[in-house]
Amino acid sequence: MAGKKVLIVYAHQEPKSFNGSLKKVAVEELSKQGCTVTVSDLYSMNFEPRATRNDITGALSNPEVFSYGIETHEAYKKKALTSDILEEQRKVQEADLVIFQFPLYWFSVPAILKGWMDRVLCRGFAFDIPGFYDSGFLKGKLALLSLTTGGTAEMYTKDGISGDFRYFLWPLQHGTLHFCGFKVLAPQISFGLDVSSEEEKKVMLASWAQRLKSIWKEEPIHCTPPWYFQE
Amino acid sequence: MAGKKVLIVYAHQEPKSFNGSLKKVAVEELSKQGCTVTVSDLYSMNFEPRATRNDITGALSNPEVFSYGIETHEAYKKKALTSDILEEQRKVQEADLVIFQFPLYWFSVPAILKGWMDRVLCRGFAFDIPGFYDSGFLKGKLALLSLTTGGTAEMYTKDGISGDFRYFLWPLQHGTLHFCGFKVLAPQISFGLDVSSEEEKKVMLASWAQRLKSIWKEEPIHCTPPWYFQE
């Protein structure tokens, strides 16, 4: 939709990968709509995943016993977070929609993307206590997980060997995105890359492009227990 | 138990933290039993969390299109993984029990520990396809998640605002540890650190030490769907 701003947080090492193609398709389709699209290409940025004292510039409020949560909260208020965090926070703040594009690693995001969440979504910026879930500070924004799996869709069903895909998405969709106030759109899951033909991959790419055409009309999913596990 | 080998994978920045104390208590109690205890202190090692081409020494099997999964699988077979991965794999291989000690970050492990999982538990070493879940290559070993939360135990119940704690443990206990063949012991969760008194923290430490006295007699939990969500 013309005028909307989209941030794509992208975590794949290889531009020629299927994840790279999904990202490219999203940039093209959303740009065509007149959206402003920004990409944080985490591997090419060599984004720092480790949550350490280096994230705070200047003095600590308690140099004796380091608490990452306390110190980054204080540093956020004093504008003393390191510049790579501030830059990502600025991108999130401007975005109407944040798309996370990644391959599933151990039922979750790759560590480089987990580090983005750990470091960028800090207290004061993304939430406070109180000030989380429906009153999280990123309320009014949309988020969407677009991921690829090696395993097939059948494996990720309620009675499948890996359980319903909603189960592994819970920490991300509820525990992270909803916690920060995002309204979460249905995930885009490209299943079974290990066993997909080139033709099947083309179909998956086309269906992502097609979905994006009407993405701004979508209703968010329910992220609150116990509904989440019943849908 | 005398003769047993334990690896503690520890992810906290501050030795004086409560996580540091939980780690210390485990080292002391298990050593007293005659176990050999090894600690991987990820922050002090500045452990690399990013899964990149740097993890493979020498030539790639496909330099045109980089696939981390394919290349690390090949590198494992050719003994061409980088030395920090090999060192951690050696520690895992020797261990009868692996304890993960960490603060909950976004319903999951901190990125530095996610990176340990992403990089160390590679195909060929921890699993193959086929060769996962009950036939994962680390079968015969035990694993245990010992974690701390800011939120209270009440928040992490079925009808609580953050849902049952089993839900957020699913990607770790089933999707990662069980996938690699580990038998998973019940998690040790020290809830509500943000609102706990010093006295309450002492009780939590003591209960961890007490549990470790009979840890070798424990039966693993069920990690398979649909049982997992019904217990």
Side-chain angles (χ1 to χ4, degrees), chain A residues 13-14 16 43 46-47 50-51 64 66 105-106 109 111 114 117-118 121 133 161-162 167 174-175 229, chain B residues 13-14 16 43 46-47 50-51 64 66 105-106 109 111 114 117-118 121 133 161-162 167 174-175 229:
Chain A
Q13 305 90 348
E14 173 58 61
K16 292 180 214 154
Y43 286 102
N46 198 30
F47 190 79
R50 289 164 287 217
E64 296 302 312
F66 179 73
Y105 277 19
W106 293 123
V109 295
K114 183 58 168 57
M117 292 170 172
D118 291 352
L121 302 175
Y133 289 124
I161 194 166
S162 293
Y167 300 167
H174 180 65
F229 290 96
Chain B
Q13 304 90 347
E14 173 56 62
K16 292 180 215 153
Y43 286 102
N46 197 29
F47 190 80
R50 290 164 284 217
E64 295 303 312
F66 179 73
Y105 278 20
W106 294 123
V109 294
K114 183 58 166 60
M117 293 171 172
D118 290 353
L121 302 176
Y133 289 124
I161 194 166
S162 293
Y167 301 166
H174 180 66
F229 290 96

Side-chain angles (χ1 to χ4, degrees), chain B residues 42-205:
Chain B
L42 300 183
Y43 286 102
S44 77
M45 295 157 74
N46 197 29
F47 190 80
E48 172 62 64
R50 290 164 284 217
T52 70
R53 193 255 174 266
N54 298 338
D55 289 349
I56 299 105
T57 62
L60 296 176
S61 65
N62 180 355
E64 295 303 312
V65 184
F66 179 73
S67 162
Y68 187 79
I70 291 170
E71 296 293 346
T72 52
H73 183 206
E74 290 303 313
Y76 177 77
K77 291 187 282 186
K78 293 188 297 189
K79 302 189 190 303
L81 286 169
T82 190
S83 60
D84 67 333
I85 295 179
L86 293 176
E87 177 65 10
E88 294 305 304
Q89 290 180 339
R90 187 190 59 71
K91 294 178 194 170
V92 172
Q93 199 58 69
E94 288 186 354
D96 299 294
L97 165 64
V98 182
I99 296 174
F100 297 88
Q101 180 63 56
F102 60 96
L104 193 69
Y105 278 20
W106 294 123
F107 277 36
S108 185
V109 294
I112 199 168
L113 178 48
K114 183 58 166 60
W116 186 97
M117 293 171 172
D118 290 353
R119 298 175 66 235
V120 175
L121 302 176
C122 77
R123 183 170 175 183
F125 171 69
F127 69 93
D128 207 344
I129 299 169
F132 53 87
Y133 289 124
D134 291 344
S135 50
F137 292 177
L138 304 182
K139 61 179 179 288
K141 299 181 188 297
L142 298 168
L144 188 163
L145 303 172
S146 175
L147 58 135
T148 62
T149 70
T152 63
E154 290 66 34
M155 292 168 75
Y156 293 106
T157 54
K158 200 173 171 210
D159 298 312
I161 194 166
S162 293
D164 193 311
F165 66 83
R166 286 180 193 84
Y167 301 166
F168 73 69
L169 291 175
W170 169 254
L172 298 166
Q173 294 193 324
H174 180 66
T176 310
L177 300 173
H178 182 202
F179 191 91
C180 297
F182 280 109
K183 295 281 186 196
V184 180
L185 298 180
Q188 181 74 19
I189 314 186
S190 303
F191 284 108
L193 285 200
D194 291 351
V195 293
S196 298
S197 65
E198 286 309 309
E199 194 49 47
E200 287 167 323
K201 287 183 189 171
K202 274 186 197 155
V203 171
M204 288 192 266
L205 278 178

Side-chain angles (χ1 to χ4, degrees), chain A residues 26-167:
Chain A
V27 172
E28 287 169 359
E29 172 55 33
L30 293 164
S31 301
K32 200 157 62 183
Q33 292 175 20
C35 301
T36 306
V37 185
T38 304
V39 177
S40 286
D41 181 345
L42 300 183
Y43 286 102
S44 79
M45 294 156 76
N46 198 30
F47 190 79
E48 172 60 65
R50 289 164 287 217
T52 70
R53 192 253 174 267
N54 298 337
D55 289 351
I56 300 103
T57 61
L60 296 175
S61 65
N62 180 355
E64 296 302 312
V65 183
F66 179 73
S67 163
Y68 187 78
I70 291 170
E71 295 294 346
T72 52
H73 184 205
E74 289 304 312
Y76 177 78
K77 291 186 283 188
K78 292 188 298 190
K79 304 191 189 300
L81 286 170
T82 189
S83 59
D84 67 334
I85 295 178
L86 293 176
E87 176 65 10
E88 295 304 305
Q89 289 179 341
R90 188 190 57 72
K91 294 179 194 170
V92 172
Q93 199 58 68
E94 288 185 355
D96 298 295
L97 164 64
V98 182
I99 296 174
F100 297 88
Q101 180 63 56
F102 60 96
L104 193 69
Y105 277 19
W106 293 123
F107 277 35
S108 184
V109 295
I112 199 168
L113 178 48
K114 183 58 168 57
W116 187 96
M117 292 170 172
D118 291 352
R119 298 174 66 234
V120 175
L121 302 175
C122 78
R123 182 170 175 183
F125 171 69
F127 68 94
D128 206 343
I129 299 169
F132 53 86
Y133 289 124
D134 290 344
S135 50
F137 291 178
L138 305 181
K139 61 178 179 291
K141 298 181 188 297
L142 298 168
L144 187 164
L145 303 172
S146 174
L147 59 135
T148 62
T149 70
T152 63
E154 290 68 32
M155 292 169 75
Y156 293 106
T157 55
K158 200 173 173 211
D159 298 313
I161 194 166
S162 293
D164 193 309
F165 65 83
R166 286 181 194 82
Y167 300 167

Side-chain angles (χ1 to χ4, degrees), chain A residues 1-2 4-6 30 33 35 96-98 142 185 211-219:
Chain A
M1 207 160 75
K4 292 284 191 186
K5 290 183 177 169
V6 181
L30 293 164
Q33 292 175 20
C35 301
D96 298 295
L97 164 64
V98 182
L142 298 168
L185 299 180
R211 179 181 170 191
L212 287 168
K213 289 186 199 300
S214 53
I215 198 79
W216 302 103
K217 293 180 191 156
E218 289 191 15
E219 289 295 321

